[in-house]
Structure formats: C-alpha cells, structure tokens
C-alpha cells in the first residue's frame, strides 16, 4: 500500500485531520457555534461559503459508554455494515481495495428535496495511533474519508451531483478498571468520539435547505451510528 499513488496524500490528510480533531473546540479558531446537543453529544458548526455554496465545517464530540475506539472505527470503516447504520445511503460500492486498511468508495445518497441527488467518491483509511498521553493506555483509533478523482467515474456525468468531503472520526478509549480487581467488563469502558467533516455539496443548493439538512441529519447520523455499535458489540468480547 505504501507505494500506491494515493499514499502520500493519505499520509498528509490523515496527519492533518487527526491534529485538527485532537484540538478542543476553543483551539480550532473562532466562529464555532453549538447547534445541537443531546446528552453527551455536542455538535458545532462554522458558517462558511465557497463560491456561494454552503461548506460549513462540522465538529461533533460525543462520549459513549460500553464501547472501544477500535470497535467504533471498525463498524464505521467496514463496508459490510454501512447499510445498517447510514440511513441516507442509496447505493455503495468499493471501487478499489488499496490495502486492508484503505478502500475507495463510490456511494450515492438518497435525494433530499429540493436539492438534487448527491454522490461521493472517496478513499477511506483506518489507523491505530499511539496514545501519547498515556503510553500503556488504550490506543487511539481513527478513520479518515477524503474525496478523490477516478478517471473511470468522472464527476457529474450522470444524474448525481458529486460532493467533495473530508471526514475524520477520532476515537479515544478510556478504561476505568473495577476497584475489586475483577475482570474488565463493558461497564468499565467508554469512548470519546470526535467527528469532523467538511462537505462541499458540489453544486448549488439553497443555503437554508443545506443548513436545515445538516442540522437534522448529522445529529441523527451520529446517534444512530453509535447506538448501532453499542448494539452490535454488547454481547461480544471487547475489541481493543
Ligand atoms: C447536499 C449534501 C448532502 C450530503 C452530503 C454529505 C453526506 C455524507 C457523506 C459521507 C459521510 S461519512 O461520514 O463519510 C460516512 C460514510 O457515508 C457523511 C455524510 C450526506 C449528505 C446527505 C445525506 C445527508 C446527510 C447529511 C449529513 C449526515 C448524513 N446524511
């Protein structure tokens, strides 16, 4: 995989996205507004437009008990689970398996009236990172998705408008060992999830419509996905 044409880009984008995701909302620059809150989940966005198109960066922070960062990234990365949790997905194919930790996806999302239907073509990379704060603590896990070009699938040659996205899911596991030295259970586990995304809708759509879609869809998406991981792992051994 390290000699693949995309490898230099993957290395650069993963490093920069992980550094951004690690920064607290206060360090990420000004202008972040909290737009959704549900228990431990907080969602922030910044209003940004590129050529008159809404490209609001989004940063969500969520703490979920009973699952590990590896499990969250495993179910987010692997294509075989995606239809179970991604409710806006209409079709998904893996265009290329670059390596076992790097895939290229082509996926179409259900049309959201009045915007036209969207599709995304992106590489997706899963990686374990050393826990710098605590050497013998659990590793950090991340999945980065980043749009890329494919000559066999030119943008906007069909009915769908091609979106351009960069997404980073960063997961930090916390283990709170049982006092009485008994075996670790999922009750001693929690995961801090940081989800960052910048999506360029690729073609014009009314700002009010896009912002309403994101305001509705992102909280639903993160809640549905984390509930799915809890349900899938509850009776399985912990994957660290
Ligand atoms: C006009 C643009 C609409 C639009 C742009 C972008 C996305 C989108 C693509 C990918 C990812 S992901 O995190 O990489 C998981 C893999 O699918 C999340 C969101 C979805 C929509 C549509 C379907 C709406 C939506 C928005 C936000 C979250 C979920 N769904």
């Amino acid at each position: 995989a390290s000699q693949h044409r995309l490898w230099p880009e993957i290395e650069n984008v993963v490093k920069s996205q992980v550094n951004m995701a690690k920064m607290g909302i206060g360090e990420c620059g000004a202008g972040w507004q909290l737009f959704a809150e549900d228990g431990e989940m907080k969602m922030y966005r910044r209003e940004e437009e590129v050529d008159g198109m809404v490209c609001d960066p989004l940063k969500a922070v969520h703490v979920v008990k009973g699952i590990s960062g590896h499990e969250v990234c495993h179910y987010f990365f692997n294509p075989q689970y995606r239809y179970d949790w991604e409710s806006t997905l209409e079709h998904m194919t893996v265009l290329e398996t670059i390596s076992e930790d790097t895939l290229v996806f082509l996926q179409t999302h259900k049309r959201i009236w009045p915007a036209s239907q969207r599709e995304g073509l992106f590489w997706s990379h899963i990686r374990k990172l050393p826990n710098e704060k605590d050497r013998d603590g659990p590793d950090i896990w991340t999945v980065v998705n980043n749009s890329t070009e494919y000559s066999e699938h030119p943008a906007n040659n069909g009915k769908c408008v091609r979106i351009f996205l960069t997404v980073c899911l960063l997961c930090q596991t916390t283990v709170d060992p049982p006092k009485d030295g008994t075996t670790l259970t999922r009750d001693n586990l929690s995961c801090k999830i940081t989800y960052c995304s910048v999506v360029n809708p690729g073609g014009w759509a009314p700002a009010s419509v896009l912002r309403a879609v994101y305001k509705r869809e992102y909280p639903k998406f993160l809640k549905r996905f984390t509930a799915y991981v809890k349900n899938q792992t509850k009776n399985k051994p912990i994957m660290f």
Side-chain angles (χ1 to χ4, degrees), residues 65 134 136-138 173-190 238 240:
K65 291 197 181 323
D134 169 6
D136 40 15
T173 309
T174 304
V175 173
D176 185 24
K179 305 286 173 286
D180 50 4
T182 51
T183 47
L184 207 67
T185 70
R186 289 188 177 278
D187 295 341
N188 312 119
L189 203 54
S190 84
I238 301 169
F240 281 107

Side-chain angles (χ1 to χ4, degrees), residues 148-187:
T148 188
E149 307 282 334
Y150 250 58
S151 46
E152 302 83 353
H153 298 272
N156 306 323
N157 73 328
K159 59 184 174 17
C160 288
V161 173
R162 177 75 56 87
I163 61 171
F164 297 92
L165 62 84
T166 301
V167 165
C168 177
L169 179 74
L170 186 79
C171 300
Q172 172 87 48
T173 309
T174 304
V175 173
D176 185 24
K179 305 286 173 286
D180 50 4
T182 51
T183 47
L184 207 67
T185 70
R186 289 188 177 278
D187 295 341

Side-chain angles (χ1 to χ4, degrees), residues 54 58 76 82 85-89 92 105 107-112 115-120 122-124 143-146 161 163-169 195-203 205 209-210 213-222:
V54 166
L58 178 123
F76 186 77
R82 194 157 298 175
W85 56 265
E86 175 70 283
S87 58
T88 65
L89 201 58
M92 169 198 68
F105 288 97
Q107 49 183 58
T108 56
H109 289 265
K110 289 173 186 148
R111 182 166 180 256
I112 297 199
S116 45
Q117 188 169 29
R118 254 67 185 181
E119 70 173 17
F122 54 90
W123 54 257
S124 184
V143 174
V144 177
N145 294 345
N146 191 57
V161 173
I163 61 171
F164 297 92
L165 62 84
T166 301
V167 165
C168 177
L169 179 74
Y195 174 89
C196 300
S197 89
V198 179
V199 174
N200 181 319
V209 166
L210 279 178
V213 164
Y214 292 161
K215 191 174 168 76
R216 184 186 69 234
E217 292 295 335
Y218 274 115
K220 203 168 81 179
F221 158 78
L222 199 54

Side-chain angles (χ1 to χ4, degrees), residues 74-86 92 228 232 239:
H74 173 79
Y75 287 100
F76 186 77
F77 173 75
N78 282 285
Q80 66 261 36
Y81 310 112
R82 194 157 298 175
Y83 285 112
D84 298 345
W85 56 265
E86 175 70 283
M92 169 198 68
Y228 174 77
Q232 287 294 311
M239 198 201 287

Side-chain angles (χ1 to χ4, degrees), residues 28 38 43 61 73 84 128-129 138 151-152 159 203 206 218 228:
C28 274
D38 182 321
M43 283 207 159
V61 183
C73 288
D84 298 345
K128 176 171 72 173
L129 301 157
S151 46
E152 302 83 353
K159 59 184 174 17
Y218 274 115
Y228 174 77

